[in-house]
Amino acid sequence: MKFGGTSVADAERIKRVARRIVDKREQGHQVVAVLSARGKTTDELIAMAEEVSADPDPREMDMLLSSGERISCALCAIAINDLGHRAISLTGSQAGIVTDESHTKALILDVRADRIRTALEEDHIVLVAGFQGVSENARNVTTLGRGGSDTSAVAVAAALGAEVCEIYTDVAGVYSADPRIVPEARKLPAVSFEEMLEMAASGAGVLQLRSVEYARNHGVRIHCRSSFDDEPGTVVLAEAETMEQPLITAVTHTTAEARVTLTGVPDAPGAAARIFDALAGANVNVDMIVQNEPVSAGGQAEISFTVLRDDLRVARAALEPLSGEAFTDMTTHEDMGKVSIVGAGMRSHPGVAAKVFGVLAQEGVNIDMISTSPIKISCVIARDRVELAVQALHSAFELAGEGTVSEEEPFKAGRAS
Ligand code: ADP
Ligand code: ASP
Ligand code: MG
């Protein structure tokens, strides 16, 4: 059972989560719960670091950020003990979550779960701090990137051979669009790994991308559901197991993109490799890449790509030393977003891209860059047009469910928890 930040935001909610975990235990299950930091704690910790430094050391950032999840787990263990059950909280490191050395975006390499297993055998409920691990060589505390508690939960579930990895969150499951932006979005009863990977990669933050990759690679069953009621949510499963294959499953978006354009790139083998090697060396993930060679530019190419806005400073610093040889000019645009449509049925239906571009044109939304996969079409657009574009696409592809499903009302009277 994994509970996100909103679900443990205050004392009342911690107690409710404790109750819910205990109920599961009393139904006869062994339970490991992975918790996130409370409410906006992670954002606040980042802001605290930025108050003391413009460029905080990544190792120390991880020491700082990992504390949020420890607080949630210890508090929840205390609450569970008060309910007459025995609980033990563990840091990621104590739980045996071993990662690579890349601070603030570490990858899980292994989960050495003996300590969790022993605690379960001793009839404990085990609480594991999400979002963190310990690096294999330097033995430093690491964190797994924003939203990383989902991945902690899936990795622990895989290591223990759990029946299911339940991701409890503040919406009732995975929807056909972010319900905060499209209130009439439909809750999807099931979604395939392939579609969920594309959705997570294109901004559906309800599950961290790596958690979905990890679940697919290790055969973990994910059930994403509301922490505020008992309704079934969304199960993520193999494509062969899904019943339907709609043309379009969801519209996703991000508002956290930045675009970098390099002009005067030599039109010769190796030019792109030099640029993207430098970015990889700085641990910057590049999303969309477009290269062209304007007829007027006399044998010089132009490369544009997008990165997360948070990575822009590091990307710029990595590229500046190459100025003059790998490119002549670098311009950046910070206020970019991206809107995507995802659907396995797209594979066999022509005309979807044309419809997407038509809808955006009708709304007067200018498309900056386009990329596609067999089951996804993404358009980079101005950040302030994203909301409008998501709503227009959701309605043009008729993704709304029958009846309006709105965002969950936390702890509505009369609801089971
Ligand atoms: P948690 O703290 O539980 O991990 P997150 O904030 O990380 O929760 O993820 C849940 C949020 O994801 C929802 O509140 C919702 O606004 C957002 N979200 C974005 N896209 C989707 C989608 N397609 N379906 C459901 N939720 C989505
Ligand atoms: N607390 C971390 C974050 O806010 C990890 C998580 O919630 O999954 O990103
Ligand atoms: Mg999350």
Side-chain angles (χ1 to χ4, degrees), residues 2-7 36 147 150 168-171 173-180 199 203-207 250-253:
K2 178 260 171 177
F3 293 89
T6 316
S7 312
S36 289
D150 298 331
Y168 290 87
T169 183
D170 58 1
V171 285
V174 179
Y175 282 75
S176 57
D178 186 341
R180 286 177 205 274
M199 286 176 68
V206 60
L207 292 175
V251 181
T252 57
H253 73 278

Side-chain angles (χ1 to χ4, degrees), residues 236-271:
V236 186
L237 31 79
E239 197 169 304
E241 294 176 85
T242 52
M243 306 287 283
E244 41 181 340
Q245 207 179 64
L247 179 61
I248 305 302
T249 299
V251 181
T252 57
H253 73 278
T254 71
T255 52
E257 314 263 322
R259 193 184 79 202
V260 180
T261 302
L262 304 174
T263 49
V265 176
D267 190 15

Side-chain angles (χ1 to χ4, degrees), residues 84-106:
H85 282 258
R86 292 196 298 164
I88 176 174
S89 64
L90 300 172
T91 65
S93 166
Q94 289 172 324
I97 297 175
V98 178
T99 74
D100 66 9
E101 313 289 321
S102 50
H103 284 291
T104 75
K105 43 177 105 163

Side-chain angles (χ1 to χ4, degrees), residues 2 4-5 36-37 39 42-43 69 130-131 145-150:
K2 178 260 171 177
S36 289
T42 307
D43 292 332
E69 272 63 15
F131 175 57
R146 298 310 303 269
S149 296
D150 298 331

Side-chain angles (χ1 to χ4, degrees), residues 177-201:
D178 186 341
R180 286 177 205 274
I181 291 196
V182 184
E184 68 276 14
R186 183 173 81 101
K187 182 168 83 182
L188 307 169
V191 57
S192 67
F193 279 118
E194 290 69 21
E195 289 177 314
M196 197 61 232
L197 283 170
E198 292 282 16
M199 286 176 68

Side-chain angles (χ1 to χ4, degrees), residues 46 50 146 256-258 307-315:
I46 292 172
E50 285 169 352
R146 298 310 303 269
E257 314 263 322
V307 297
L308 286 179
R309 188 173 313 114
D310 284 350
D311 280 344
L312 185 58
R313 190 174 44 81
V314 177

